[in-house]
Amino acid sequence: MATLALASWATNLTYANLTGAVVDAAVKSVYNWAGCAIGGYAQDAPQIAQNTTQIFFGGPPTSSILGSNGSISESFADAQTAAFVNGIAGHVDDYDDTHLATIIHPAGHVASALLAVSEWQGSVSGQDFLTAFVAGVEAECKLGLSVYPEHYDVGWHITSTTGSIGTAVAVGKLLGLDTTGMQHAIGVAATQVVGMQEFFGSMTKSFHVGRAAQSGMLAALLAQNGFTSSLQGLEAQFGWLHVVSTRENASAYFDQLGEIWEIEQNTFKPFPCGIVMHPTIDACIQLHNETLENGKSISSIQTVNLRVNPEVPVLTGKTDPQTGLEGKFSIYHAAAIGLLFGEATPTEFTDDAVKNDTVISMRNKVNVTTDTSVSEDQADVSITFDDGSTLEKRIEHAIGSLENPMTDAELQKKFIDQVSRVIGEQRAEKAYDAFINIGNMTDVGKLRMLF
């Protein structure tokens, strides 16, 4: 009865059920996504998506493209197009949030769809927005826990395969669907399963998130208008759980809905790339600083040895990335830029950066060894200089992990850094203030007008 259990919980959820910690986590997740969506709009993928869909398929412009600085006709689109483009923009830099237990990036598709619907429908309060957002995030993360790791290990992109369902729950909650309507929405979303890992390192990875936002929104709207589906779309013999995974344990996790909040386990990325590379980058940045403090030259580094979790080369083993997007899935590139520049921002993951001769030279010095005793948020890095001396760094918990989270100040800086690149620092500050106060708004549809 997984579909009924999820639908019943979501339709009965109220803002009063949310603890202070849950609301705080939700607000952080939303504004972290907003920063990624505005900053990511500078990439080619969201603009190609907008130019392809808006002119030929779009309806009346009701909802905002967050990062667009163009005319009203360019900065607003119909709700489905806006959700699609913002979903792509929020994920294309791989800078968005991560639920580490499932490796789901939960906020992007849910927030993209909710904002688009809120702007289109109007009169959605901040409390209603956050309640729907939490419902969607909890739905997708509990579903992810039900099938992880088998579902992920066979090659599905779990963010989008669960994301369309989480989005349907969120939008269905915002629209006020009853339990049966929510079951139909879940079913329509479940049949639109999308996303495989083959496409990591290409624009199509972020397409998965944009499409999940669109698909979940469409599912909820269809259900609102009487469109039917299976009422057991998740647990039926040929339903989502059994078709996409060799393991399913939904009832165990759905029993925890409202008791154990997955959104409190959401984490935020300090670096715009595959999260399994973060411990290595953390170590390399520290080694960069120590090298300079010891009066040595970065150019005198002869070899770089990494000891990492076995998943790292599986997910990020590209030895010779040719684009910035491929660089986000190259542990060799990650180590090189951390050592060379002492930072890892979107600038270090551009096409120019991966083709830079100095970066390529450092990349070629990197050797990777895997060790099952090294967890996914750990790494050991050692560098050897031309005089034979060495420096070593062990990362027990990378910055951005649950044990070593980014501070509020660091999250604010991340937001401002991303957003100011696209809309300028003054508007970035206004955007930050708008999103951190989203819970106090009487009409979220007016948020875009605040910056």
Side-chain angles (χ1 to χ4, degrees), residues 411-450:
L411 285 171
Q412 180 179 3
K413 182 179 184 301
K414 174 186 172 181
F415 183 99
I416 300 299
D417 285 349
Q418 291 180 91
V419 175
S420 61
R421 295 168 188 257
V422 178
I423 64 173
E425 188 167 351
Q426 186 176 18
R427 289 183 63 200
E429 295 282 357
K430 290 181 178 179
Y432 177 78
D433 289 339
F435 277 101
I436 64 170
N437 289 300
I438 192 171
N440 300 321
M441 296 193 69
T442 56
D443 187 353
V444 173
K446 297 178 179 178
L447 189 148
R448 176 63 178 78
M449 297 297 101
L450 298 177

Side-chain angles (χ1 to χ4, degrees), residues 246-267:
T246 57
R247 171 183 179 268
E248 65 89 6
N249 195 23
S251 58
Y253 291 103
F254 284 2
D255 286 347
Q256 300 172 0
L257 284 164
E259 301 294 332
I260 299 175
W261 298 94
E262 299 306 323
I263 198 166
E264 292 187 90
Q265 305 301 307
N266 207 17
T267 66

Side-chain angles (χ1 to χ4, degrees), residues 206-218:
S206 60
F207 168 87
H208 297 163
V209 176
R211 184 56 104 188
Q214 261 188 335
S215 298
M217 177 195 296
L218 178 62

Side-chain angles (χ1 to χ4, degrees), residues 23-52:
V23 171
D24 181 62
V27 172
K28 285 180 179 176
S29 299
V30 170
Y31 83 68
N32 182 77
W33 159 76
C36 293
I38 297 171
Y41 187 75
Q43 288 266 20
D44 290 339
Q47 298 190 37
I48 292 172
Q50 182 179 356
N51 292 336
T52 302

Side-chain angles (χ1 to χ4, degrees), residues 122-177:
S123 300
V124 173
S125 72
Q127 291 188 359
D128 287 345
F129 183 98
L130 291 176
T131 303
F133 179 78
V134 171
V137 169
E138 294 299 309
E140 64 185 320
C141 290
K142 293 298 190 189
L143 192 59
L145 288 168
S146 302
V147 297
Y148 188 84
E150 287 83 353
H151 174 71
Y152 190 82
D153 288 348
V154 298
W156 290 107
H157 185 189
I158 194 170
T159 291
S160 53
T161 59
T162 63
S164 58
I165 298 169
T167 301
V169 169
V171 176
K173 178 66 179 174
L174 201 66
L175 297 175
L177 296 185

Side-chain angles (χ1 to χ4, degrees), residues 341-356:
F341 306 116
E343 62 181 3
T345 72
T347 301
E348 284 71 53
F349 291 95
T350 61
D351 293 355
D352 287 342
V354 299
K355 294 175 182 177
N356 180 280

